[in-house]
Amino acid sequence: MSTSMFKGLPTTRNGRQIARLNALVSGPGALKTPDNLRAMKLIFKLDNKYGHMGARKFWRTHAPVIQYHNPNLQILVTRIETNTDEEAIKVPAKMVLEYDESSGMKPVEIDIKSKMSDEILELFRSAAKATEVPAEDIPVFTTQKNQK
């Protein structure tokens, strides 16, 4: 197996798995959302053209970390397939934050078209009023050598 697709990861299978687990629970997406935030909906195109790359990168890199730290938050993704460039240009890229009905808050819609994934994360953080997870609450996975 070529290790070029795993640049920066250890070469052993267990080492790669541990590195991936650590990446899943830490990083910029390690945010805690308010309890009244019920769902985050992401809507973007199936392919990356016309400003949808950042939305896809956000979904792949930051959304799993957000989901780990907020297990009750529903993350719903709708990817729209288009047949022509004219259709593709018209497709929005947006994030919708939905709150519990009892909180009285209305859904918040954020335009994420032509934005980088880190910029989308900051828009999410401010709109959702999310806070960083303290470092002591983030698990760190390691190997246990010489275990008997």
Side-chain angles (χ1 to χ4, degrees):
M1 172 184 356
S2 169
T3 58
S4 63
M5 70 185 279
F6 300 110
K7 286 184 179 172
L9 290 180
T11 56
T12 65
R13 183 185 311 222
N14 287 342
R16 283 193 308 269
Q17 289 173 341
I18 289 169
R20 288 180 185 149
L21 287 171
N22 283 325
L24 177 67
V25 300
S26 63
L31 301 170
K32 189 70 176 156
T33 61
D35 291 337
N36 63 347
L37 182 61
R38 181 175 57 84
M40 172 176 54
K41 294 181 179 179
L42 295 170
I43 303 165
F44 56 96
K45 281 186 345 108
L46 191 60
D47 57 351
N48 297 325
K49 295 192 308 189
Y50 306 114
H52 294 259
M53 173 67 102
R56 185 180 70 85
K57 291 274 189 180
F58 173 84
W59 168 54
R60 288 290 195 189
T61 59
H62 299 306
V65 182
I66 292 169
Q67 181 71 73
Y68 177 83
H69 291 287
N70 301 282
N72 293 329
L73 177 66
Q74 292 180 352
I75 298 180
L76 307 167
V77 179
T78 303
R79 297 184 71 189
I80 300 169
E81 185 173 10
T82 57
N83 295 324
T84 66
D85 282 349
E86 292 80 27
E87 289 177 347
I89 291 170
K90 294 177 185 177
V91 174
K94 62 183 177 179
M95 174 189 298
V96 179
L97 303 178
E98 294 183 351
Y99 294 87
D100 288 334
E101 291 178 14
S102 62
S103 70
M105 296 181 71
K106 297 192 183 294
V108 176
E109 189 172 304
I110 303 166
D111 179 22
I112 58 175
K113 193 168 192 173
S114 299
K115 297 200 174 24
M116 304 288 282
S117 63
D118 291 338
E119 187 179 355
I120 296 169
L121 180 65
E122 287 307 312
L123 290 170
F124 170 77
R125 179 193 314 252
S126 63
K129 296 178 179 47
T131 58
E132 285 189 30
V133 175
E136 60 270 7
D137 292 347
I138 297 176
V140 177
F141 299 98
T142 60
T143 60
Q144 295 180 357
K145 294 186 179 190
N146 299 328
Q147 188 178 28
K148 293 185 179 186

Tab-separated table of all heavy atoms in Angstrom, residues 78-105:
chain	number	residue	atom	x	y	z
A	78	THR	N	-27.513	17.840	2.379
A	78	THR	CA	-28.191	17.677	1.102
A	78	THR	C	-27.230	18.125	0.015
A	78	THR	O	-26.817	19.288	0.000
A	78	THR	CB	-29.480	18.521	1.043
A	78	THR	OG1	-30.328	18.152	2.122
A	78	THR	CG2	-30.194	18.315	-0.284
A	79	ARG	N	-26.858	17.204	-0.850
A	79	ARG	CA	-25.963	17.526	-1.975
A	79	ARG	C	-26.785	17.468	-3.250
A	79	ARG	O	-27.411	16.460	-3.541
A	79	ARG	CB	-24.793	16.547	-2.000
A	79	ARG	CG	-23.961	16.685	-0.706
A	79	ARG	CD	-22.753	15.824	-0.715
A	79	ARG	NE	-21.802	16.385	-1.676
A	79	ARG	CZ	-20.691	15.755	-2.037
A	79	ARG	NH1	-20.410	14.570	-1.527
A	79	ARG	NH2	-19.856	16.296	-2.901
A	80	ILE	N	-26.768	18.550	-3.986
A	80	ILE	CA	-27.626	18.701	-5.158
A	80	ILE	C	-26.820	18.417	-6.424
A	80	ILE	O	-25.749	18.987	-6.628
A	80	ILE	CB	-28.219	20.120	-5.197
A	80	ILE	CG1	-29.041	20.353	-3.925
A	80	ILE	CG2	-29.043	20.331	-6.457
A	80	ILE	CD1	-29.469	21.771	-3.712
A	81	GLU	N	-27.370	17.549	-7.261
A	81	GLU	CA	-26.724	17.223	-8.532
A	81	GLU	C	-27.365	18.054	-9.637
A	81	GLU	O	-28.592	18.197	-9.688
A	81	GLU	CB	-26.875	15.734	-8.838
A	81	GLU	CG	-26.121	15.305	-10.066
A	81	GLU	CD	-26.144	13.796	-10.260
A	81	GLU	OE1	-26.888	13.107	-9.555
A	81	GLU	OE2	-25.406	13.323	-11.130
A	82	THR	N	-26.528	18.611	-10.499
A	82	THR	CA	-27.029	19.414	-11.615
A	82	THR	C	-26.525	18.830	-12.926
A	82	THR	O	-25.486	18.156	-12.968
A	82	THR	CB	-26.557	20.876	-11.503
A	82	THR	OG1	-25.130	20.898	-11.450
A	82	THR	CG2	-27.110	21.532	-10.252
A	83	ASN	N	-27.266	19.121	-14.000
A	83	ASN	CA	-26.902	18.590	-15.309
A	83	ASN	C	-26.210	19.614	-16.196
A	83	ASN	O	-25.468	19.241	-17.096
A	83	ASN	CB	-28.147	18.046	-16.017
A	83	ASN	CG	-28.724	16.851	-15.289
A	83	ASN	OD1	-27.989	16.047	-14.743
A	83	ASN	ND2	-30.034	16.750	-15.254
A	84	THR	N	-26.489	20.887	-15.955
A	84	THR	CA	-25.895	21.922	-16.807
A	84	THR	C	-25.198	22.967	-15.947
A	84	THR	O	-25.474	23.103	-14.756
A	84	THR	CB	-26.977	22.627	-17.654
A	84	THR	OG1	-27.852	23.346	-16.775
A	84	THR	CG2	-27.768	21.635	-18.483
A	85	ASP	N	-24.311	23.729	-16.581
A	85	ASP	CA	-23.624	24.807	-15.867
A	85	ASP	C	-24.609	25.895	-15.438
A	85	ASP	O	-24.437	26.506	-14.387
A	85	ASP	CB	-22.525	25.420	-16.733
A	85	ASP	CG	-21.272	24.552	-16.772
A	85	ASP	OD1	-21.192	23.605	-15.965
A	85	ASP	OD2	-20.388	24.824	-17.601
A	86	GLU	N	-25.636	26.145	-16.221
A	86	GLU	CA	-26.632	27.157	-15.856
A	86	GLU	C	-27.340	26.772	-14.562
A	86	GLU	O	-27.575	27.607	-13.692
A	86	GLU	CB	-27.668	27.342	-16.987
A	86	GLU	CG	-27.112	27.979	-18.245
A	86	GLU	CD	-26.359	26.993	-19.127
A	86	GLU	OE1	-26.656	25.770	-19.094
A	86	GLU	OE2	-25.438	27.442	-19.840
A	87	GLU	N	-27.694	25.500	-14.432
A	87	GLU	CA	-28.313	25.009	-13.193
A	87	GLU	C	-27.322	25.103	-12.034
A	87	GLU	O	-27.680	25.499	-10.938
A	87	GLU	CB	-28.756	23.555	-13.345
A	87	GLU	CG	-29.934	23.314	-14.222
A	87	GLU	CD	-30.237	21.821	-14.361
A	87	GLU	OE1	-29.395	20.988	-13.971
A	87	GLU	OE2	-31.310	21.503	-14.870
A	88	ALA	N	-26.083	24.708	-12.301
A	88	ALA	CA	-25.061	24.658	-11.257
A	88	ALA	C	-24.804	26.037	-10.659
A	88	ALA	O	-24.603	26.166	-9.449
A	88	ALA	CB	-23.772	24.072	-11.809
A	89	ILE	N	-24.803	27.056	-11.479
A	89	ILE	CA	-24.545	28.415	-10.993
A	89	ILE	C	-25.648	28.874	-10.042
A	89	ILE	O	-25.396	29.608	-9.083
A	89	ILE	CB	-24.395	29.381	-12.190
A	89	ILE	CG1	-23.107	29.057	-12.941
A	89	ILE	CG2	-24.419	30.832	-11.750
A	89	ILE	CD1	-22.956	29.764	-14.262
A	90	LYS	N	-26.875	28.408	-10.260
A	90	LYS	CA	-28.019	28.848	-9.456
A	90	LYS	C	-28.145	28.134	-8.109
A	90	LYS	O	-28.869	28.590	-7.229
A	90	LYS	CB	-29.310	28.650	-10.243
A	90	LYS	CG	-29.403	29.529	-11.466
A	90	LYS	CD	-30.659	29.237	-12.239
A	90	LYS	CE	-30.694	30.028	-13.535
A	90	LYS	NZ	-31.887	29.701	-14.322
A	91	VAL	N	-27.447	27.020	-7.935
A	91	VAL	CA	-27.581	26.235	-6.702
A	91	VAL	C	-26.940	26.987	-5.538
A	91	VAL	O	-25.785	27.388	-5.604
A	91	VAL	CB	-26.924	24.847	-6.856
A	91	VAL	CG1	-26.922	24.091	-5.534
A	91	VAL	CG2	-27.635	24.044	-7.921
A	92	PRO	N	-27.692	27.175	-4.449
A	92	PRO	CA	-27.111	27.861	-3.289
A	92	PRO	C	-26.229	26.916	-2.477
A	92	PRO	O	-26.371	25.699	-2.555
A	92	PRO	CB	-28.344	28.261	-2.473
A	92	PRO	CG	-29.347	27.198	-2.793
A	92	PRO	CD	-29.091	26.827	-4.237
A	93	ALA	N	-25.323	27.494	-1.744
A	93	ALA	CA	-24.574	26.753	-0.734
A	93	ALA	C	-24.915	27.436	0.573
A	93	ALA	O	-24.623	28.621	0.754
A	93	ALA	CB	-23.083	26.802	-1.015
A	94	LYS	N	-25.580	26.718	1.469
A	94	LYS	CA	-26.007	27.362	2.708
A	94	LYS	C	-26.020	26.388	3.872
A	94	LYS	O	-26.053	25.170	3.698
A	94	LYS	CB	-27.368	28.019	2.542
A	94	LYS	CG	-28.499	27.075	2.219
A	94	LYS	CD	-29.787	27.846	1.999
A	94	LYS	CE	-30.925	26.925	1.598
A	94	LYS	NZ	-32.171	27.657	1.407
A	95	MET	N	-25.974	26.986	5.044
A	95	MET	CA	-26.078	26.260	6.300
A	95	MET	C	-27.288	26.826	7.029
A	95	MET	O	-27.457	28.045	7.100
A	95	MET	CB	-24.822	26.482	7.144
A	95	MET	CG	-24.880	25.887	8.529
A	95	MET	SD	-23.491	26.390	9.580
A	95	MET	CE	-22.117	25.720	8.686
A	96	VAL	N	-28.116	25.940	7.543
A	96	VAL	CA	-29.294	26.364	8.298
A	96	VAL	C	-29.183	25.783	9.702
A	96	VAL	O	-29.017	24.567	9.862
A	96	VAL	CB	-30.607	25.897	7.624
A	96	VAL	CG1	-31.809	26.338	8.434
A	96	VAL	CG2	-30.692	26.407	6.193
A	97	LEU	N	-29.242	26.651	10.706
A	97	LEU	CA	-29.213	26.214	12.102
A	97	LEU	C	-30.635	26.255	12.640
A	97	LEU	O	-31.297	27.290	12.581
A	97	LEU	CB	-28.306	27.128	12.930
A	97	LEU	CG	-26.863	27.246	12.436
A	97	LEU	CD1	-26.091	28.223	13.312
A	97	LEU	CD2	-26.188	25.887	12.428
A	98	GLU	N	-31.108	25.127	13.161
A	98	GLU	CA	-32.460	25.036	13.688
A	98	GLU	C	-32.409	24.811	15.187
A	98	GLU	O	-31.604	24.027	15.679
A	98	GLU	CB	-33.228	23.911	13.000
A	98	GLU	CG	-33.473	24.175	11.541
A	98	GLU	CD	-34.308	23.091	10.884
A	98	GLU	OE1	-34.561	22.041	11.519
A	98	GLU	OE2	-34.698	23.301	9.725
A	99	TYR	N	-33.304	25.490	15.893
A	99	TYR	CA	-33.347	25.441	17.344
A	99	TYR	C	-34.621	24.739	17.808
A	99	TYR	O	-35.585	24.601	17.051
A	99	TYR	CB	-33.287	26.858	17.917
A	99	TYR	CG	-31.971	27.537	17.637
A	99	TYR	CD1	-31.758	28.247	16.468
A	99	TYR	CD2	-30.924	27.440	18.535
A	99	TYR	CE1	-30.541	28.854	16.201
A	99	TYR	CE2	-29.697	28.033	18.279
A	99	TYR	CZ	-29.514	28.741	17.101
A	99	TYR	OH	-28.308	29.321	16.842
A	100	ASP	N	-34.640	24.315	19.066
A	100	ASP	CA	-35.838	23.724	19.654
A	100	ASP	C	-36.976	24.722	19.576
A	100	ASP	O	-36.770	25.931	19.751
A	100	ASP	CB	-35.601	23.356	21.124
A	100	ASP	CG	-34.694	22.155	21.289
A	100	ASP	OD1	-34.635	21.329	20.370
A	100	ASP	OD2	-34.042	22.053	22.347
A	101	GLU	N	-38.178	24.210	19.338
A	101	GLU	CA	-39.344	25.097	19.269
A	101	GLU	C	-39.572	25.818	20.587
A	101	GLU	O	-40.001	26.965	20.618
A	101	GLU	CB	-40.578	24.301	18.873
A	101	GLU	CG	-40.543	23.812	17.446
A	101	GLU	CD	-41.748	22.987	17.076
A	101	GLU	OE1	-42.753	23.011	17.833
A	101	GLU	OE2	-41.699	22.326	16.031
A	102	SER	N	-39.262	25.153	21.691
A	102	SER	CA	-39.501	25.746	23.013
A	102	SER	C	-38.595	26.943	23.281
A	102	SER	O	-38.903	27.769	24.132
A	102	SER	CB	-39.308	24.687	24.102
A	102	SER	OG	-37.978	24.214	24.076
A	103	SER	N	-37.470	27.056	22.547
A	103	SER	CA	-36.553	28.173	22.783
A	103	SER	C	-37.066	29.462	22.157
A	103	SER	O	-36.602	30.544	22.505
A	103	SER	CB	-35.160	27.846	22.240
A	103	SER	OG	-35.173	27.833	20.828
A	104	GLY	N	-37.996	29.345	21.211
A	104	GLY	CA	-38.543	30.526	20.562
A	104	GLY	C	-37.614	31.148	19.533
A	104	GLY	O	-37.917	32.209	18.989
A	105	MET	N	-36.491	30.512	19.241
A	105	MET	CA	-35.551	31.057	18.263
A	105	MET	C	-35.909	30.575	16.867
A	105	MET	O	-36.281	29.428	16.668
A	105	MET	CB	-34.121	30.655	18.627
A	105	MET	CG	-33.661	31.240	19.946
A	105	MET	SD	-31.971	30.795	20.336
A	105	MET	CE	-31.096	31.771	19.133
